[in-house]
Amino acid sequence: MDDFNSETDSDYTSYWRDWFISSRGNEYFCEIDEEYLTDRFNLTGLNTEVQYYQYALDLVTDVFDLDCDDEMREQIEKSARHLYGLVHARYIVTTRGLAKMLEKFKKADFGKCPRVMCDAQPLLPMGQSDVANTSPVKLYCAKCEDLYNPKSSRHSTIDGAYFGTSFHNILFQVYPAMLPPKTQKRYEPRVFGFRVHAAAALNRWQAEQREQMKERLRQARIETGFEEEDEELESEEEMEDDIEVGEDGFEIGATAPQ
């Protein structure tokens, strides 16, 4: 293949996929096996979604030999990146693809959850739509089950369809041991150590709802998974009650007893 002109010539290697994976901003992607790319069954339907499809496929599979001008080459390169992303969404839900993404997940290549209570839980990329050009990639935390924007601007422009809406859920179904335990830890607003009244009332209501749900699960003989954490929380609450005995006896923001 002729020398590939790009903005990252210093990082250029003799294979297009190596160049693509090593380029800045593409750290979320894993390398797709050549056997997967050359199997036309895996590419079904993509010829209608990618401009210059055959040329783009030739470029990705390193058999491109068309003599064209720079403008045409740039358009084919753009199509090749789009084609690789669409194939990537299909590849990462295969056995090989899941294994590769799992290794990146273990190394926290996708970043860590910014929520303090999640204790730096590694994140997974995901899309909010399987349709291309709909929304950019988001990062999913399995501990708090919430979504976050990538920290780097070069990652925030990646199309979410290149990862799909199902990948993160499939990974935890195939590797259930990697699913982190849920936590009941929540931030509790306090003033000088006393819970703020309005927030405390909301917390009490939420706690009551949670306890009612746990009781229903216990009656159905279903483990909640929070048994050990419940014991820890109860011991902490007992210690707090002991500390508050002898004080004013009411929460900040509450009306003092007459």
Side-chain angles (χ1 to χ4, degrees), residues 1 23 29 71 107 126 132 137 162 178 185 187 218:
M1 186 177 72
S23 297
F29 294 91
E71 184 177 352
K107 294 185 291 185
M126 63 157 288
V137 68
Y162 296 165
M178 300 306 300
K185 293 180 181 178
Y187 170 68
R218 280 193 287 267

Side-chain angles (χ1 to χ4, degrees), residues 111-123:
K112 299 178 180 179
C113 184
R115 183 175 179 269
V116 175
M117 300 297 183
C118 285
D119 300 320
Q121 167 66 30
L123 300 169

